Amino acid sequence: DTGVSQDPRHKITKRGQNVTFRCDPISEHNRLYWYRQTLGQGPEFLTYFQNEAQLEKSRLLSDRFSAERPKGSFSTLEIQRTEQGDSAMYLCASSLDRGAGLTGELFFGEGSRLTVL
Amino acid sequence: AQSVTQLGSHVSVSEGALVLLRCNYSSSVPPYLFWYVQYPNQGLQLLLKYTSAATLVKGINDFEAEFKKSETSFHLTKPSAHMSDAAEYFCAVNAGTASKLTFGTGTRLQVTL
């Protein structure tokens, strides 16, 4: 399968612990996105990368959140000192786009569900 | 700024009936518009997209949507619902040089016998 893959699919952690999610995008895609989805809501944009550069971050991305895409391929999203409010589905998506704007389709992974106890 | 509003968080139709899911957008520039479907515990899958070509867009599984600039709408329709269409549907917008999609809150479609 050559789609977007995310790991782990599920993570249960205690409040205050750190967690890290990994996303492997479609190999030729230059853009990678992180979204967060809570129950009953649509996906909310967190951040995106063009190749290895992080070009935009949402205000939702507090100081406890950090994302990297060191070689322009896979990406990690780390949450430090987790809080119960961080419980959500974290979705990764990738696309192939040139220049500004977004004209292509976002291809989503199946998400990483985080539960903070 | 860009946003979408999905009217109706839950829609229930009988199998074989018309499906109509409503989406209105807000954008200061001509937008690109998308409909995605999400099945339980899965990621989002693109149904169709409008990128300033034909205003009537056909997608997968017999879904289609019509872009109406005068009404700022992009409603999703399907002539005959199937049980397998039960899922969450999200409308999304990308406007101008924005590099991300902004999603609506979703509409859960229930299909009954």
Side-chain angles (χ1 to χ4, degrees), chain B residues 35-76:
Chain B
W35 275 99
Y36 281 82
V37 61
Q38 185 177 35
Y39 297 100
N41 298 315
Q42 294 188 23
L44 281 75
Q45 178 185 3
L46 182 70
L47 278 176
L48 49 80
K49 63 180 179 181
Y50 166 76
T51 55
S52 74
T55 57
L56 182 62
V57 181
K58 295 187 182 298
I60 61 173
N61 299 336
D62 295 327
F63 282 95
E64 63 181 37
E66 186 172 8
F67 172 71
K68 292 186 177 180
K69 183 179 178 180
S70 60
E71 299 177 8
T72 61
S73 69
F74 190 58
H75 302 331
L76 181 71

Side-chain angles (χ1 to χ4, degrees), chain A residues 9 31 33 35 37 40-43 45 48 56 91 101-106 108-110, chain B residues 32 34 36 38 41-44 46 49 51 90 94 96-101 103-105:
Chain A
R9 292 290 311 280
R31 287 193 183 169
Y33 296 79
Y35 279 80
Q37 186 179 22
Q41 298 296 317
F45 171 78
Y48 94 94
E56 189 172 345
L91 295 167
L102 190 164
T103 58
E105 171 186 352
L106 289 189
F108 282 85
E110 295 190 322
Chain B
Y32 291 164
F34 304 77
Y36 281 82
Q38 185 177 35
N41 298 315
Q42 294 188 23
L44 281 75
L46 182 70
K49 63 180 179 181
T51 55
F90 294 95
N94 170 260
T97 58
S99 298
K100 61 181 183 288
L101 290 184
F103 287 86
T105 53

Side-chain angles (χ1 to χ4, degrees), chain A residues 4-19:
Chain A
V4 178
S5 62
Q6 294 188 243
D7 182 71
R9 292 290 311 280
H10 303 274
K11 178 72 176 179
I12 300 174
T13 190
K14 293 182 179 180
R15 187 177 55 185
Q17 298 296 303
N18 299 342
V19 297

